[in-house]
Amino acid sequence: MLKLHYNLEKISMGLVAAIIVAASIGGLVEIAPLFTLDETVELPGDLRPNTPLELAGREIYMREGCYACHSQMVRSLADELDRYGPYSLASESAYDHPMLWGSKRTGPDLARLGGKYSDDWHVAHLIDPRSVVPASIMPSYPWLTRPLDTALLPDALATLARLGVPYDKEMIAAAEADALAQSRPGTEAADGFQARYGARPAVQAFDGDPSRLTELDALIAYLQSLGTLTDAPYRALAEGAP
Amino acid sequence: MTATLTLPERRIGLFLSVLLALMGLFMAAAARHGVMSLHGFMALGLGLGLVFLIGGSLYDPAPPHRRPDRYYDAPTRFGLTLTLVWAIIGMGVGVWVAALLYWPEATPPWPATSFGRLRPVHTTGIIFGFGGNALIATSFHVLQRTSRARLADSISPWVVVLGYNLFCAWAVTGYLMGSTQSKEYAEAEWYADLWLVVIWVTYFTLYLRTLARRNEPHIYVANWYYLAFILVVAMLHIVNNLALPVRLTTAESFPVWSGVQDAMVQWWYGHNAVAFFLTAGFLGMLYYFLPVRSGRPIWSYRLSIVSFWGITFFYIWVGSHHLHYTALPYWAQTLGMTFSVMLLVPSWASAGNAIATLNGAWHKVRDDATLRFMFVAAVFYGLSTFEGSFLAIRPVNSLSHYTDWTVGHVHSGTLGWVAMIIFGAIYTLVPQLGGKRQMASPRAIEWHFWLAVTGTLIYVIAMWNAGITQGLMWRAYDRNGALSYSFVQSVQAMAPYYLLRTIGGALFLTGAVLCAWNCRATLRGAREGAADRPLVPQPAE
Ligand code: HEM
Ligand code: HEM
């Protein structure tokens, strides 16, 4: 062996090849099967993709680095089930490019956040967390009251559609209008939005002011959608699946 | 920089600078507004600056000595300067984000300075800016000495150093403006990622071409590590960053991976960024500078072979230990755990090999702060890999994951190991580059050493306490079977530790500032190229 290595050290391309081989095996074994196993590719029938407004909110969530303090992955441990809710399934984030599971909980997990608080609470909390939770160390985000830029949404939906997220042509074409419509309940546009996305996504004046479409609207729409894209985790828990 | 180039080389440099400026102009014009156009202007600015610099000295006297039999150290010197600049930026922002967790209002009310945007500036600035520049700069030095050959050409090292720093600058300014892929340690957007591929290929070919010119039959062990660093980082970077841009004229893109596949790819990348960026490269540094400084050959050649291949083979498997109890299939988690535990063997073999090398030179460790930096680095390498293997065990991870224990582990590795070995290498190299016998102020090195050690210990111990407290509070039940603590109570319990960590970090940063000042004083007055020595054998060989 030693002799063999002694010779290998004299051939740079030999070293290069050996390094590539040694460093490829593990990744191949662990990653490739994930594209074929039922456990990781099967999707629940009721899984819906994010609406354009939620998607815009997701971009803001990433832009502001919320993921650096908040996870979106409830582990299958008793205390996490009690604190947050059913543990997360792989299928829940199947449409998430990229996933936002996170690695640090400076703040609580948000995977089951949807519906936990009112929109007003979120508005107050995002603008000044310490006005609602005095001991909070979360940053304030007063600038989120600025208007939402929706110009990229159609292209964003089209790009995701190319990656396999089920947005159809109509959804892509109407993306900007739908973002606006979701924050204006009771309008005709809102009906059009619901015709495309069904009755499940909430149509609300998320930031409390239906006359303006703001970044807060988008972010809160996203936060309220967390954990509500499918009921599969609740079913899995009820069935006592492993 | 230009003084060390011949006329034809200056012409090529001029041409490349014009190309860079044109690329920048094109980017700025195509994107028109937003991050990408700013980044275009940055490239344009750099290109134009270089055009003026090179153009202005095009017909200056050519470098004096017969060059092929001299080492080329000017890029190393420049790279080390950048290393120190990034050290101060990265650690400065580190102290800032640490302070924000204690005192959330300690920042102007601007989007650019909020915690979520500053944190990736810290991680990228410190890992890629500080760590990356140190790796590139020392690799040029080590490669030449251990091959007894000059770098294969004089242009590509500049392309690598300047191009790489343009990438780092794009990345951190992008985060401040809110442009991010949100993948930890790979937040930079698609065009920056593509740019890095170009730079990395240049780096790799330069490495191989120089190796091909070597006057030593054997490739020294330090180079195996540097090679593994270059190769595997390229592989990880490309696969993890595959993305579709929303438009070719905007920074926004969507990664091709999603959900659980994305999580696995991300942590396959993430942990191997630790392995091949923060470990393999720095082991290369250790295997060269430790023997040089202590004047003793590496203790066991055989052990260095075993640990090299062990690290290269095992590390790739361990990424899934970041995903214990998550939606990642159980078998993949188990593989990650198993290999993480096995990884302790080659890791400790490396640390042990380093420490055994010092056997017989302990008096030097006592007297020489530079060597002490390297010794402490080897010890912390041993400690943090032990801790890592321990944290990878599933039940332990159930407590530690998501808590500050991870952050404590990270910084025992990065402050105790990565930063210490860099400082050891810098204090060995800089006098040589400045043509001096020793650093301008040996006392400042001593001060730096104790500041760094104290800072690291305060940081790490505070975070151990914080993490374990947090983990225990989250899972504590009262007698009635209800959770004992609300989340906010666990946040409140962190305050003293976050304050301590900020203080520890500030001490560490002070040491780094001392180091920068000391290096400046040592290099002041030394002519560029003073260190381009004749090709003579070096003690490590
Ligand atoms: C002056 C010294 C430093 C201070 C005060 C500091 C502070 C911090 C803080 C406050 C965080 C965020 C932790 C959180 O979100 O809870 C962090 C994260 C991080 N730092 Fe540092 N840091 C320092 C030096 C370094 C160095 C030298 C390196 C690498 C060479 C480094 C690498 C990292 C990494 C990789 C993370 C991300 C950890 C994770 O996501 O788990 N830091 N640092
Ligand atoms: C035998 C070697 C090592 C093993 C098995 C190991 C294992 C681990 C484990 C289990 C985690 C926690 C994952 C989680 O719960 O999220 C972790 C995190 C981390 N380790 Fe290590 N570690 C090792 C060495 C090192 C060294 C030497 C460094 C630094 C130079 C380092 C840097 C990091 C970083 C940056 C993270 C944080 C990643 C993140 O969450 O953002 N590790 N490591």
Side-chain angles (χ1 to χ4, degrees):
Chain A
M1 269 315 265
L2 216 56
K3 183 84 189 148
L4 195 76
H5 201 273
Y6 190 78
N7 291 328
L8 183 65
E9 283 165 32
K10 295 181 188 164
I11 315 161
S12 56
M13 286 320 275
L15 261 179
V16 167
I19 291 171
I20 292 179
V21 172
S24 301
I25 299 173
L28 285 174
V29 172
E30 288 184 1
I31 297 172
L34 300 182
F35 291 91
T36 56
L37 296 174
D38 285 352
E39 188 186 349
T40 49
V41 296
E42 218 161 69
L43 298 184
D46 64 345
L47 179 66
R48 73 168 175 89
N50 280 126
T51 65
L53 189 62
E54 291 161 5
L55 193 68
R58 192 169 196 275
E59 291 295 321
I60 295 169
Y61 184 93
M62 286 160 45
R63 181 187 82 194
E64 299 301 344
C66 311
Y67 64 86
C69 288
H70 290 287
S71 58
Q72 291 186 22
M73 169 50 62
V74 182
R75 294 179 296 167
S76 50
L77 297 167
D79 59 298
E80 301 218 350
L81 301 188
D82 288 339
R83 193 179 290 279
Y84 302 114
Y87 57 84
S88 302
L89 302 181
S91 55
E92 285 182 84
S93 47
Y95 296 147
D96 288 359
H97 296 263
M99 56 84 206
L100 295 172
W101 293 8
S103 68
K104 178 77 206 307
R105 278 185 191 152
T106 304
D109 190 278
L110 300 181
R112 303 282 169 249
L113 183 72
K116 180 174 172 187
Y117 297 106
S118 68
D119 292 345
D120 292 345
W121 188 91
H122 282 299
V123 172
H125 184 251
L126 286 168
I127 289 178
D128 181 9
R130 276 157 294 286
S131 70
V132 203
V133 184
S136 181
I137 55 167
M138 176 163 143
S140 357
Y141 295 94
W143 56 87
L144 293 179
T145 49
R146 65 191 177 196
L148 179 72
D149 180 2
T150 54
L152 271 183
L153 278 176
D155 285 342
L157 261 68
T159 310
L160 283 172
R162 275 207 278 162
L163 293 170
V165 182
Y167 292 118
D168 57 30
K169 285 219 179 65
E170 223 183 308
M171 290 168 163
I172 294 170
E176 278 191 87
D178 281 346
L180 190 62
Q182 199 184 350
S183 71
R184 293 193 171 163
T187 57
E188 213 171 288
D191 297 341
F193 166 76
Q194 285 190 322
R196 277 180 286 279
Y197 291 90
R200 279 167 55 218
V203 179
Q204 279 155 228
F206 294 96
D207 68 354
D209 177 2
S211 67
R212 287 175 73 230
L213 184 64
T214 62
E215 297 196 332
L216 268 180
D217 276 315
L219 184 56
I220 297 174
Y222 173 63
L223 294 176
Q224 296 291 25
S225 79
L226 290 173
T228 67
L229 301 184
T230 162
D231 287 333
Y234 295 88
R235 289 195 297 270
L237 197 65
E239 286 160 16
Chain B
M1 155 184 184
T2 45
T4 59
L5 301 178
T6 60
L7 183 60
E9 285 165 352
R10 287 176 200 169
R11 290 213 172 103
I12 300 174
L14 198 59
F15 173 71
L16 291 175
S17 310
V18 171
L19 271 190
L20 177 65
L22 286 178
M23 180 192 85
L25 189 65
F26 179 73
M27 264 173 77
R32 283 213 297 270
H33 55 82
V35 189
M36 196 170 169
S37 92
L38 176 83
H39 287 168
F41 281 118
M42 284 167 67
L44 178 65
L46 178 64
L48 287 182
L50 288 170
V51 168
F52 282 116
L53 184 75
I54 304 174
S57 51
L58 197 58
Y59 295 105
D60 282 5
H65 22 263
R66 285 188 46 230
R67 297 189 322 149
D69 43 326
R70 297 213 153 225
Y71 293 127
Y72 190 38
D73 279 339
T76 302
R77 179 176 158 171
F78 184 64
L80 285 184
T81 309
L82 289 170
T83 305
L84 289 164
V85 170
W86 281 107
I88 291 170
I89 298 176
M91 291 179 200
V93 177
V95 174
W96 189 0
V97 289
L100 284 181
L101 288 179
Y102 178 71
W103 183 24
E105 310 290 351
T107 193
W110 307 321
T113 53
S114 92
F115 178 91
R117 299 195 189 187
L118 288 175
R119 190 187 192 271
V121 172
H122 165 58
T123 53
T124 300
I126 204 81
I127 300 178
F128 297 107
F130 170 59
N133 271 305
L135 286 172
I136 292 174
T138 56
S139 74
F140 289 157
H141 178 90
V142 172
L143 172 63
Q144 298 183 84
R145 299 315 188 279
T146 55
S147 306
R148 274 195 293 129
R150 185 186 167 91
L151 286 176
D153 72 284
S154 309
I155 294 289
S156 15
W158 293 108
V159 173
V160 173
V161 173
L162 291 169
Y164 180 75
N165 281 281
L166 180 62
F167 165 82
C168 295
W170 273 357
V172 299
T173 51
Y175 311 152
L176 292 177
M177 296 177 68
S179 167
T180 171
Q181 286 194 120
S182 91
K183 292 181 138 235
E184 253 188 292
Y185 318 124
E187 294 95 340
E189 283 290 359
W190 62 275
Y191 53 87
D193 291 335
L194 281 178
W195 174 251
L196 186 61
V197 172
V198 175
I199 300 301
W200 219 246
V201 170
T202 315
Y203 186 21
F204 180 57
T205 40
L206 173 65
Y207 218 91
L208 284 188
R209 283 161 56 222
T210 308
L211 276 180
R213 301 166 59 152
R214 71 185 181 277
N215 291 310
E216 281 285 320
H218 286 272
I219 300 174
Y220 181 63
V221 45
N223 292 314
W224 314 346
Y225 282 102
Y226 281 119
L227 265 180
F229 147 65
I230 300 173
L231 273 169
V232 183
V233 166
M235 172 169 102
L236 298 166
H237 173 76
I238 292 171
V239 175
N240 188 44
N241 283 302
L242 288 176
L244 273 189
V246 170
R247 276 183 207 159
L248 285 177
T249 53
T250 62
E252 255 179 64
S253 67
F254 290 103
V256 301
W257 316 113
S258 71
V260 61
Q261 292 86 1
D262 185 38
M264 186 62 233
V265 170
Q266 160 60 27
W267 288 111
W268 166 80
Y269 167 89
H271 206 84
N272 289 297
V274 169
F276 290 89
F277 212 101
L278 295 177
T279 298
F282 291 103
L283 282 172
M285 207 184 269
L286 177 85
Y287 272 110
Y288 178 80
F289 288 101
L290 184 77
V292 164
R293 188 75 190 189
S294 63
R296 301 184 56 85
I298 278 294
W299 182 63
S300 163
Y301 164 72
R302 197 180 295 222
L303 205 56
S304 66
I305 296 180
V306 173
S307 43
F308 175 75
W309 291 107
I311 284 176
T312 309
F313 180 71
F314 288 168
Y315 247 122
I316 284 290
W317 296 78
V318 307
S320 48
H321 68 217
H322 289 261
L323 301 168
H324 281 324
Y325 299 99
T326 68
L328 181 78
Y330 200 71
W331 59 265
Q333 302 175 15
T334 308
L335 273 179
M337 170 169 84
T338 315
F339 275 86
S340 303
V341 174
M342 297 196 304
L343 189 58
L344 190 60
V345 176
S347 301
W348 273 31
S350 305
N353 209 355
I355 293 171
T357 299
L358 291 172
N359 223 347
W362 292 115
H363 59 289
K364 288 192 190 165
V365 178
R366 189 191 60 211
D367 299 336
D368 178 8
T370 305
L371 195 55
R372 229 179 298 134
F373 265 112
M374 300 188 203
F375 167 65
V376 170
V379 171
F380 268 100
Y381 178 65
L383 284 178
S384 57
T385 48
F386 177 75
E387 185 184 25
S389 297
F390 183 61
L391 292 180
I393 300 170
R394 209 183 265 116
V396 182
N397 196 265
S398 76
L399 182 82
S400 75
H401 188 58
Y402 293 137
T403 72
D404 279 301
W405 191 350
T406 308
V407 178
H409 161 68
V410 170
H411 290 85
S412 99
T414 54
L415 299 176
W417 152 237
V418 170
M420 298 280 185
I421 188 69
I422 293 179
F423 292 132
I426 286 182
Y427 287 130
T428 311
L429 254 180
V430 165
Q432 199 178 328
L433 293 173
K436 309 273 169 71
R437 261 191 51 250
Q438 57 175 9
M439 292 293 295
S441 166
R443 279 208 29 214
I445 308 183
E446 200 66 51
W447 271 96
H448 180 190
F449 176 78
W450 290 109
L451 282 169
V453 171
T454 319
T456 307
L457 288 176
I458 295 179
Y459 191 127
V460 174
I461 293 173
M463 287 299 102
W464 281 336
N465 280 301
I468 295 173
T469 308
Q470 229 169 5
L472 291 176
M473 283 177 88
W474 291 346
R475 60 162 61 169
Y477 282 93
D478 62 21
R479 245 185 263 127
N480 308 323
L483 290 168
S484 304
Y485 301 100
S486 71
F487 193 90
V488 175
Q489 283 174 311
S490 78
V491 173
Q492 282 172 301
M494 292 304 105
Y497 306 119
Y498 286 168
L499 180 62
L500 267 181
R501 183 247 307 264
T502 312
I503 296 171
L507 293 180
F508 201 91
L509 171 67
T510 312
V513 173
L514 266 183
C515 174
W517 165 80
N518 204 354
C519 290
R520 217 183 107 84
T522 312
L523 289 175
R524 190 181 302 142
R527 242 181 14 83
E528 208 181 49
D532 295 358
R533 288 139 187 272
L535 309 181
V536 289
Q538 297 281 310
E541 288 155 17

